[in-house]
């Protein structure tokens, strides 16, 4: 991927993984060190607990406010309604299907709003649900496969619309084969995991 051009205003849009500011802080520090004269401005537009509907609801005061030239979008872990994996029977699959349809529609709406502003979009696959780490917390079996479906959709959607992709899902999946990079909740990368995200 090319770096952001000089003078860019970049909004990072996402949920709590973005809101924590950890991987974004590494990216900002890298730009400050290696491209000190670039005058690229970074804005953290992550909303903890957010879904795409939340992002759309706060779009004017949380994204448009900065008049961005670029947007980096990584969201989906909450949109996926992973809690439905505990449901029994048909309600499980219907809830997951409905959540996915809503995600696809809202992603298209968000990207269209950004394009209408002349914003260049980079899509990121959501980080994996780290189902197989050692943890005493209850695990949602099938969570990894659920998020893999979202990651594959992001790649297909990006290809269809000509957006560059940062594939966190594949990168973090590979990294998890050699290091335990997640908090016990299977969702949030540790400080070290967020460093890996910044490298990606």
């Amino acid at each position: 991927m090319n770096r952001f051009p000089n003078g860019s205003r970049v909004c990072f849009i996402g949920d709590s993984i973005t809101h924590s500011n950890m991987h974004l802080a590494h990216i900002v520090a890298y730009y400050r060190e290696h491209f000190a004269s670039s005058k690229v401005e970074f804005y953290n537009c992550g909303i903890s607990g957010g879904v795409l509907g939340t992002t759309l609801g706060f779009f004017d005061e949380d994204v448009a406010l900065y008049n961005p030239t670029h947007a980096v979008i990584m969201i989906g872990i909450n949109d996926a309604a992973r809690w439905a994996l505990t449901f029994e029977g048909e309600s499980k699959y219907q809830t997951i299907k409905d959540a996915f349809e809503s995600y696809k529609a809202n992603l298209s709406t968000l990207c269209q709003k950004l394009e209408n502003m002349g914003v260049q979009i980079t899509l990121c696959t959501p980080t994996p649900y780290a189902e197989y780490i050692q943890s005493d917390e209850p695990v949602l079996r099938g969570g990894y496969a659920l998020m893999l479906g979202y990651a594959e959709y992001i790649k297909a959607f990006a290809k269809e619309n000509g957006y560059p992709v940062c594939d966190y899902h594949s990168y973090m999946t590979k990294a998890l084969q050699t290091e335990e990079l997640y908090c016990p909740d299977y969702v949030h990368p540790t400080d070290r995991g967020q460093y890996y995200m910044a490298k990606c």
Side-chain angles (χ1 to χ4, degrees), residues 3-188:
R3 73 172 179 87
F4 298 112
N6 291 356
S8 299
R9 295 178 303 281
V10 187
C11 284
F12 279 71
I13 298 170
D15 46 40
S16 57
I17 297 172
T18 299
H19 182 256
S20 71
N21 208 50
M22 287 190 285
H23 70 279
L24 181 52
H26 286 297
I27 294 168
V28 172
Y30 187 88
Y31 268 75
R32 296 293 177 264
E33 180 179 354
H34 296 278
F35 311 115
S37 64
S38 67
K39 293 183 168 43
V40 176
E41 298 174 8
F42 294 94
Y43 300 98
N44 187 334
C45 302
I47 301 174
S48 188
V51 295
L52 275 168
T54 317
T55 298
L56 290 169
F58 287 96
F59 183 84
D60 288 343
E61 53 267 68
D62 199 48
V63 178
L65 173 71
Y66 301 114
N67 191 26
T69 60
H70 295 74
V72 180
I73 304 169
M74 186 196 72
I75 196 164
I77 190 73
N78 298 323
D79 295 82
R82 64 185 182 277
W83 55 86
L85 292 168
T86 64
F87 295 176
E88 297 293 334
E90 186 60 31
S91 64
K92 173 195 294 188
Y93 302 106
Q94 190 61 52
T95 301
I96 289 172
K97 178 183 177 182
D98 290 347
F100 190 40
E101 293 303 316
S102 177
Y103 178 82
K104 291 190 288 185
N106 284 337
L107 180 64
S108 181
T109 299
L110 176 60
C111 290
Q112 191 59 61
K113 285 175 77 76
L114 290 165
E115 283 199 13
N116 289 345
M117 295 172 59
V119 177
Q120 295 185 44
I121 298 168
T122 297
L123 291 180
C124 306
T125 56
T127 50
Y129 180 81
E131 189 168 340
Y132 302 107
I133 65 167
Q134 293 297 316
S135 174
D136 294 329
E137 297 293 321
V139 64
L140 295 170
R141 295 299 178 197
Y144 179 85
L146 181 64
M147 294 319 302
L148 177 60
Y150 276 69
E152 291 300 312
Y153 177 75
I154 286 291
K155 287 189 277 189
F157 181 81
K159 184 176 182 180
E160 178 183 344
N161 290 278
Y163 302 138
V165 175
C166 182
D167 190 3
Y168 284 133
H169 195 279
S170 296
Y171 191 88
M172 293 295 284
T173 294
K174 184 176 180 181
L176 279 164
Q177 295 174 18
T178 56
E179 289 190 58
E180 196 159 295
L181 301 170
Y182 269 70
C183 298
D185 65 2
Y186 311 98
V187 171
H188 295 92

